[in-house]
Short mmCIF file of all heavy atoms in Angstrom, two decimals:
data_model
loop_
_atom_site.label_atom_id
_atom_site.label_comp_id
_atom_site.label_asym_id
_atom_site.label_seq_id
_atom_site.Cartn_x
_atom_site.Cartn_y
_atom_site.Cartn_z
N ASN A 1 100.62 99.68 119.13
CA ASN A 1 101.94 100.28 118.97
C ASN A 1 103.04 99.26 118.67
O ASN A 1 103.84 99.48 117.76
CB ASN A 1 102.29 101.12 120.21
CG ASN A 1 101.78 102.54 120.10
OD1 ASN A 1 102.07 103.25 119.15
ND2 ASN A 1 101.01 102.97 121.08
N PRO A 2 103.11 98.15 119.41
CA PRO A 2 104.18 97.19 119.12
C PRO A 2 103.92 96.31 117.90
O PRO A 2 104.81 95.61 117.43
CB PRO A 2 104.24 96.34 120.40
CG PRO A 2 102.88 96.42 120.96
CD PRO A 2 102.37 97.78 120.63
N THR A 3 102.70 96.33 117.38
CA THR A 3 102.36 95.43 116.26
C THR A 3 102.44 96.13 114.90
O THR A 3 103.09 95.63 113.98
CB THR A 3 100.96 94.83 116.45
OG1 THR A 3 100.01 95.89 116.70
CG2 THR A 3 100.93 93.87 117.62
N ILE A 4 101.77 97.27 114.76
CA ILE A 4 101.83 97.97 113.46
C ILE A 4 102.68 99.23 113.53
O ILE A 4 102.83 99.93 112.53
CB ILE A 4 100.40 98.33 112.96
CG1 ILE A 4 99.73 99.35 113.87
CG2 ILE A 4 99.55 97.08 112.84
CD1 ILE A 4 98.38 99.83 113.35
N GLY A 5 103.26 99.50 114.68
CA GLY A 5 104.17 100.64 114.81
C GLY A 5 103.45 101.89 115.30
O GLY A 5 102.29 102.12 114.96
N PRO A 6 104.14 102.72 116.09
CA PRO A 6 103.51 103.93 116.64
C PRO A 6 103.10 104.94 115.59
O PRO A 6 102.08 105.61 115.72
CB PRO A 6 104.59 104.49 117.56
CG PRO A 6 105.87 103.89 117.08
CD PRO A 6 105.51 102.54 116.57
N GLY A 7 103.89 105.08 114.51
CA GLY A 7 103.57 106.06 113.47
C GLY A 7 102.24 105.77 112.81
O GLY A 7 101.37 106.65 112.73
N LEU A 8 102.07 104.54 112.35
CA LEU A 8 100.83 104.17 111.67
C LEU A 8 99.66 104.14 112.66
O LEU A 8 98.54 104.51 112.31
CB LEU A 8 101.00 102.80 111.00
CG LEU A 8 99.90 102.38 110.02
CD1 LEU A 8 99.73 103.42 108.94
CD2 LEU A 8 100.25 101.03 109.40
N THR A 9 99.92 103.71 113.89
CA THR A 9 98.86 103.68 114.90
C THR A 9 98.30 105.07 115.16
O THR A 9 97.09 105.29 115.15
CB THR A 9 99.40 103.10 116.22
OG1 THR A 9 99.83 101.76 116.01
CG2 THR A 9 98.33 103.11 117.30
N VAL A 10 99.20 106.02 115.40
CA VAL A 10 98.78 107.41 115.67
C VAL A 10 98.07 108.00 114.45
O VAL A 10 97.03 108.66 114.57
CB VAL A 10 100.00 108.27 116.06
CG1 VAL A 10 99.61 109.75 116.12
CG2 VAL A 10 100.55 107.82 117.39
N SER A 11 98.63 107.77 113.25
CA SER A 11 98.05 108.33 112.04
C SER A 11 96.61 107.86 111.83
O SER A 11 95.70 108.65 111.60
CB SER A 11 98.90 107.94 110.82
OG SER A 11 100.20 108.45 110.93
N LEU A 12 96.40 106.54 111.92
CA LEU A 12 95.07 105.99 111.67
C LEU A 12 94.08 106.42 112.75
O LEU A 12 92.93 106.74 112.45
CB LEU A 12 95.14 104.46 111.60
CG LEU A 12 95.88 103.88 110.39
CD1 LEU A 12 96.03 102.38 110.52
CD2 LEU A 12 95.14 104.23 109.09
N SER A 13 94.53 106.45 114.00
CA SER A 13 93.62 106.84 115.09
C SER A 13 93.22 108.31 114.97
O SER A 13 92.07 108.67 115.22
CB SER A 13 94.26 106.57 116.45
OG SER A 13 95.42 107.35 116.64
N ILE A 14 94.17 109.16 114.56
CA ILE A 14 93.86 110.59 114.41
C ILE A 14 92.90 110.81 113.24
O ILE A 14 91.99 111.65 113.30
CB ILE A 14 95.15 111.41 114.22
CG1 ILE A 14 95.92 111.47 115.54
CG2 ILE A 14 94.84 112.82 113.75
CD1 ILE A 14 97.25 112.19 115.44
N ILE A 15 93.11 110.04 112.16
CA ILE A 15 92.19 110.14 111.02
C ILE A 15 90.78 109.76 111.46
O ILE A 15 89.79 110.43 111.14
CB ILE A 15 92.68 109.25 109.86
CG1 ILE A 15 93.97 109.82 109.27
CG2 ILE A 15 91.60 109.16 108.77
CD1 ILE A 15 94.63 108.90 108.26
N GLY A 16 90.67 108.64 112.20
CA GLY A 16 89.36 108.23 112.72
C GLY A 16 88.77 109.27 113.64
O GLY A 16 87.56 109.56 113.60
N LEU A 17 89.62 109.88 114.46
CA LEU A 17 89.18 110.92 115.40
C LEU A 17 88.62 112.13 114.67
O LEU A 17 87.55 112.65 115.00
CB LEU A 17 90.37 111.32 116.28
CG LEU A 17 90.19 112.53 117.20
CD1 LEU A 17 89.12 112.27 118.23
CD2 LEU A 17 91.53 112.85 117.87
N MET A 18 89.32 112.58 113.64
CA MET A 18 88.91 113.80 112.93
C MET A 18 87.65 113.57 112.10
O MET A 18 86.74 114.41 112.07
CB MET A 18 90.06 114.30 112.06
CG MET A 18 91.28 114.71 112.87
SD MET A 18 92.63 115.35 111.85
CE MET A 18 91.95 116.93 111.37
N ILE A 19 87.58 112.43 111.42
CA ILE A 19 86.39 112.13 110.62
C ILE A 19 85.17 112.01 111.53
O ILE A 19 84.09 112.53 111.22
CB ILE A 19 86.60 110.82 109.82
CG1 ILE A 19 87.67 111.04 108.74
CG2 ILE A 19 85.29 110.38 109.17
CD1 ILE A 19 88.03 109.78 107.98
N SER A 20 85.35 111.33 112.66
CA SER A 20 84.24 111.17 113.60
C SER A 20 83.80 112.52 114.17
O SER A 20 82.60 112.76 114.37
CB SER A 20 84.65 110.24 114.75
OG SER A 20 84.99 108.97 114.25
N SER A 21 84.75 113.41 114.43
CA SER A 21 84.43 114.73 114.96
C SER A 21 83.59 115.53 113.98
O SER A 21 82.66 116.25 114.37
CB SER A 21 85.72 115.49 115.31
OG SER A 21 86.45 114.83 116.32
N ILE A 22 83.90 115.40 112.68
CA ILE A 22 83.12 116.09 111.64
C ILE A 22 81.68 115.56 111.65
O ILE A 22 80.72 116.33 111.58
CB ILE A 22 83.76 115.88 110.26
CG1 ILE A 22 85.05 116.67 110.15
CG2 ILE A 22 82.80 116.30 109.14
CD1 ILE A 22 85.76 116.50 108.83
N ILE A 23 81.54 114.24 111.70
CA ILE A 23 80.20 113.62 111.69
C ILE A 23 79.39 114.06 112.91
O ILE A 23 78.21 114.38 112.81
CB ILE A 23 80.32 112.08 111.64
CG1 ILE A 23 80.96 111.64 110.31
CG2 ILE A 23 78.95 111.43 111.81
CD1 ILE A 23 81.27 110.16 110.24
N ILE A 24 80.05 114.07 114.07
CA ILE A 24 79.37 114.46 115.31
C ILE A 24 78.89 115.90 115.24
O ILE A 24 77.75 116.22 115.58
CB ILE A 24 80.32 114.27 116.52
CG1 ILE A 24 80.53 112.77 116.79
CG2 ILE A 24 79.75 114.95 117.77
CD1 ILE A 24 81.60 112.48 117.82
N GLU A 25 79.76 116.80 114.78
CA GLU A 25 79.40 118.21 114.70
C GLU A 25 78.34 118.45 113.61
O GLU A 25 77.42 119.24 113.80
CB GLU A 25 80.64 119.07 114.41
CG GLU A 25 80.38 120.56 114.46
CD GLU A 25 81.63 121.37 114.22
OE1 GLU A 25 82.41 121.01 113.31
OE2 GLU A 25 81.83 122.37 114.92
N HIS A 26 78.47 117.77 112.49
CA HIS A 26 77.54 117.96 111.37
C HIS A 26 76.12 117.54 111.74
O HIS A 26 75.14 118.19 111.36
CB HIS A 26 78.02 117.16 110.15
CG HIS A 26 77.14 117.30 108.95
ND1 HIS A 26 77.18 118.40 108.12
CD2 HIS A 26 76.19 116.47 108.43
CE1 HIS A 26 76.29 118.26 107.16
NE2 HIS A 26 75.68 117.10 107.31
N ASN A 27 76.01 116.46 112.51
CA ASN A 27 74.69 115.92 112.87
C ASN A 27 74.22 116.31 114.26
O ASN A 27 73.12 115.95 114.67
CB ASN A 27 74.72 114.39 112.76
CG ASN A 27 74.92 113.91 111.34
OD1 ASN A 27 74.04 113.98 110.49
ND2 ASN A 27 76.12 113.41 111.06
N GLY A 28 75.07 117.02 115.00
CA GLY A 28 74.69 117.44 116.35
C GLY A 28 74.51 116.27 117.30
O GLY A 28 73.59 116.28 118.14
N LEU A 29 75.37 115.27 117.20
CA LEU A 29 75.25 114.08 118.04
C LEU A 29 75.79 114.33 119.45
O LEU A 29 76.61 115.22 119.65
CB LEU A 29 76.01 112.91 117.41
CG LEU A 29 75.61 112.52 115.98
CD1 LEU A 29 76.52 111.41 115.46
CD2 LEU A 29 74.15 112.09 115.93
N PHE A 30 75.32 113.54 120.40
CA PHE A 30 75.79 113.58 121.79
C PHE A 30 75.70 114.98 122.40
O PHE A 30 76.59 115.42 123.13
CB PHE A 30 77.24 113.06 121.88
CG PHE A 30 77.46 111.75 121.19
CD1 PHE A 30 78.28 111.67 120.07
CD2 PHE A 30 76.83 110.60 121.64
CE1 PHE A 30 78.48 110.46 119.41
CE2 PHE A 30 77.03 109.38 120.99
CZ PHE A 30 77.84 109.32 119.87
N GLN A 31 74.63 115.68 122.07
CA GLN A 31 74.32 117.00 122.60
C GLN A 31 75.32 118.07 122.15
O GLN A 31 75.41 119.13 122.76
CB GLN A 31 74.27 116.97 124.14
CG GLN A 31 73.21 116.02 124.69
CD GLN A 31 73.18 116.00 126.20
OE1 GLN A 31 73.42 117.00 126.86
NE2 GLN A 31 72.86 114.84 126.77
N VAL A 32 76.06 117.79 121.10
CA VAL A 32 76.97 118.78 120.52
C VAL A 32 76.16 119.72 119.63
O VAL A 32 75.33 119.26 118.84
CB VAL A 32 78.08 118.10 119.69
CG1 VAL A 32 78.90 119.14 118.94
CG2 VAL A 32 78.96 117.27 120.60
N PRO A 33 76.35 121.05 119.74
CA PRO A 33 75.63 121.98 118.87
C PRO A 33 75.83 121.64 117.40
O PRO A 33 76.97 121.43 116.95
CB PRO A 33 76.25 123.35 119.22
CG PRO A 33 76.73 123.18 120.62
CD PRO A 33 77.21 121.75 120.72
N LYS A 34 74.76 121.58 116.66
CA LYS A 34 74.82 121.18 115.25
C LYS A 34 75.44 122.28 114.41
O LYS A 34 75.10 123.45 114.54
CB LYS A 34 73.40 120.87 114.75
CG LYS A 34 73.34 120.20 113.40
CD LYS A 34 71.91 119.78 113.08
CE LYS A 34 71.83 119.01 111.77
NZ LYS A 34 70.44 118.58 111.47
N ASN A 35 76.37 121.89 113.55
CA ASN A 35 77.04 122.85 112.68
C ASN A 35 77.37 122.15 111.37
O ASN A 35 78.20 121.24 111.32
CB ASN A 35 78.32 123.37 113.34
CG ASN A 35 78.95 124.52 112.55
OD1 ASN A 35 78.26 125.26 111.87
ND2 ASN A 35 80.26 124.65 112.65
N LYS A 36 76.71 122.56 110.31
CA LYS A 36 76.87 121.91 109.01
C LYS A 36 78.32 121.97 108.52
O LYS A 36 78.99 122.98 108.66
CB LYS A 36 75.96 122.57 107.97
CG LYS A 36 74.47 122.34 108.22
CD LYS A 36 74.09 120.88 108.09
CE LYS A 36 72.59 120.66 108.28
NZ LYS A 36 72.21 119.23 108.18
N THR A 37 78.76 120.86 107.95
CA THR A 37 80.11 120.77 107.43
C THR A 37 80.23 121.51 106.10
O THR A 37 79.42 121.32 105.20
CB THR A 37 80.51 119.30 107.22
OG1 THR A 37 80.37 118.61 108.46
CG2 THR A 37 81.94 119.19 106.73
N THR A 38 81.23 122.38 105.99
CA THR A 38 81.46 123.14 104.76
C THR A 38 82.57 122.46 103.94
O THR A 38 83.32 121.63 104.46
CB THR A 38 81.87 124.57 105.09
OG1 THR A 38 83.12 124.55 105.81
CG2 THR A 38 80.81 125.27 105.95
N ARG A 39 82.66 122.86 102.68
CA ARG A 39 83.73 122.32 101.83
C ARG A 39 85.10 122.70 102.37
O ARG A 39 86.04 121.90 102.33
CB ARG A 39 83.57 122.86 100.40
CG ARG A 39 82.37 122.29 99.65
CD ARG A 39 82.34 122.83 98.22
NE ARG A 39 81.19 122.30 97.49
CZ ARG A 39 80.90 122.62 96.23
NH1 ARG A 39 81.69 123.46 95.56
NH2 ARG A 39 79.84 122.10 95.63
N LEU A 40 85.20 123.93 102.88
CA LEU A 40 86.48 124.40 103.42
C LEU A 40 86.91 123.54 104.60
O LEU A 40 88.09 123.22 104.75
CB LEU A 40 86.36 125.87 103.84
CG LEU A 40 87.66 126.52 104.34
CD1 LEU A 40 88.71 126.51 103.24
CD2 LEU A 40 87.39 127.96 104.81
N LYS A 41 85.95 123.16 105.44
CA LYS A 41 86.27 122.34 106.60
C LYS A 41 86.75 120.95 106.16
O LYS A 41 87.70 120.41 106.73
CB LYS A 41 85.05 122.21 107.51
CG LYS A 41 85.33 121.54 108.84
CD LYS A 41 84.09 121.55 109.72
CE LYS A 41 83.71 122.96 110.11
NZ LYS A 41 82.56 123.00 111.04
N ILE A 42 86.10 120.40 105.15
CA ILE A 42 86.51 119.09 104.63
C ILE A 42 87.91 119.18 104.04
O ILE A 42 88.76 118.30 104.26
CB ILE A 42 85.51 118.59 103.56
CG1 ILE A 42 84.15 118.32 104.21
CG2 ILE A 42 86.04 117.34 102.88
CD1 ILE A 42 83.07 117.94 103.23
N ILE A 43 88.17 120.26 103.29
CA ILE A 43 89.50 120.45 102.69
C ILE A 43 90.57 120.58 103.77
O ILE A 43 91.65 120.01 103.67
CB ILE A 43 89.50 121.69 101.77
CG1 ILE A 43 88.61 121.44 100.54
CG2 ILE A 43 90.92 122.04 101.34
CD1 ILE A 43 88.42 122.66 99.67
N SER A 44 90.25 121.35 104.83
CA SER A 44 91.22 121.58 105.90
C SER A 44 91.57 120.26 106.59
O SER A 44 92.74 120.00 106.89
CB SER A 44 90.68 122.59 106.92
OG SER A 44 89.60 122.05 107.66
N VAL A 45 90.57 119.43 106.84
CA VAL A 45 90.80 118.14 107.49
C VAL A 45 91.58 117.21 106.55
O VAL A 45 92.47 116.47 106.98
CB VAL A 45 89.47 117.49 107.91
CG1 VAL A 45 89.70 116.07 108.41
CG2 VAL A 45 88.81 118.32 109.01
#
């Protein structure tokens, strides 16, 4: 936060969070029910 700023910090971390969530759900990792990623879901993210 004090080095690259809160705006960019939050933005990049949320992007990493959302992309990782798609990968986890798509592959059913960490005991998460598997659910294939659709084009609509990619567009929404």
Side-chain angles (χ1 to χ4, degrees):
N1 272 305
T3 51
I4 65 175
L8 192 55
T9 298
V10 171
S11 299
L12 291 173
S13 63
I14 288 177
I15 292 172
L17 172 64
M18 297 182 72
I19 292 175
S20 299
S21 297
I22 289 179
I23 295 173
I24 289 171
E25 187 178 42
H26 181 78
N27 295 287
L29 304 176
F30 310 114
Q31 300 179 33
V32 172
K34 191 173 184 178
N35 188 28
K36 293 295 183 181
T37 303
T38 63
R39 289 183 180 179
L40 184 61
K41 188 176 294 184
I42 294 175
I43 293 173
S44 69
V45 172

